Amino acid sequence: MDTDLETYLFDLRGYIHLENALSNEEVGELNACLDEIPPLAPGEWYGHVHAHTYGDDTSGLNLQQIYEAGAPFENLIDHHSWFETVKRFVGGEGSFDYHHGPLFIDENFANFREPGEAIGLHSGGFPPILRNQFRYHGGRFMCGQINILMALTDIGPGDGGTMVIPGSHKANFKHPHFDRHRMARNATVEGIEGAVEIHMAAGDALLFVDGISHGSARRSNPGIRRVVVYRYGPSWGNFRHGYQPSPELLQRLTSQRRRIVQPQQLLPRVPQGKTDST
């Protein structure tokens, strides 16, 4: 997709489907890393990876801080298939927003969706929220959060695919049926007027502004849907759930990846051999 068309479609719809964003080899390595993680219940840890749900047991299990799981996930931090595009849509180049770096990942997780599971409708242009805002002003985008959702399994009819309402990132009104489909136990986006389900092959990625109304269909097929989500925003952001990257991860990362994972050094830093007297 050429840059002008990419920009037009993102501005118009609020999302772009990036086909073949990951190679078959990358998909295999990512799935192999996930296979090495033992079954976890919400609240349990495996190293620096945390099992988590969004408040109920019907939307699937998340493995938060998944970039701690190994090199294949570290490589996604500044992946060439979307990194420059995400920078352009988050915006801020040449301004104070770039003071600590071009981007920050405030949440990153793998999600497993089993039969019967879904996630309800959330987000949208109304009511406006600063964190996930969509904005184009002064000749550049300034979006509060751009999501990259990567498919690690094929996602077709019945697989519980992501659903979006195209253009809703600019909505001035709440969808009349929003409340009956919103995030809640056993909620789903299926049946809401204007929503479309995005079918993806393993290795595809969905780039979308978090301000678009989105959720998922309910998985009816056997098996498990696997996706990975990295949420990018300006470098002055903070972690959504209070996680922090481990010292081991920071030591392994390239300088660019380290600036994205931790744009700012935490202060005060106590010199080695001394203690904080406060």
Side-chain angles (χ1 to χ4, degrees), residues 58-60 111-122 149 155-164 181 186-192 195-199 214-221 225:
T58 62
S59 60
N111 173 264
F112 304 86
R113 180 156 296 144
E114 300 190 33
E117 295 179 337
I119 192 166
L121 188 67
H122 53 286
L149 184 150
I155 303 173
D159 288 331
T162 299
M163 299 189 70
V164 298
H181 293 270
N186 292 316
T188 176
V189 188
E190 291 171 291
I192 191 167
V196 297
E197 184 174 352
I198 309 298
H199 296 156
H214 61 282
S216 86
R218 190 173 310 284
R219 185 175 180 93
S220 58
N221 292 339
R225 186 200 78 156

Side-chain angles (χ1 to χ4, degrees), residues 141-160:
F141 288 95
M142 292 183 289
C143 296
Q145 189 172 93
I146 298 293
N147 299 326
I148 299 291
L149 184 150
M150 299 153 259
L152 299 188
T153 56
D154 292 337
I155 303 173
D159 288 331

Side-chain angles (χ1 to χ4, degrees), residues 18-72:
L18 304 174
E19 297 181 348
N20 302 310
L22 300 174
S23 68
N24 291 336
E25 181 180 5
E26 288 174 311
V27 171
E29 291 173 344
L30 292 163
N31 276 314
C33 277
L34 293 178
D35 291 339
E36 293 176 0
I37 299 175
L40 300 174
E44 293 182 336
W45 291 82
Y46 178 74
H48 297 287
V49 174
H50 187 227
H52 159 270
T53 63
Y54 286 120
D56 62 66
D57 58 359
T58 62
S59 60
L61 179 73
N62 302 317
L63 295 182
Q64 292 280 359
Q65 293 296 88
I66 198 61
Y67 55 31
E68 299 269 8

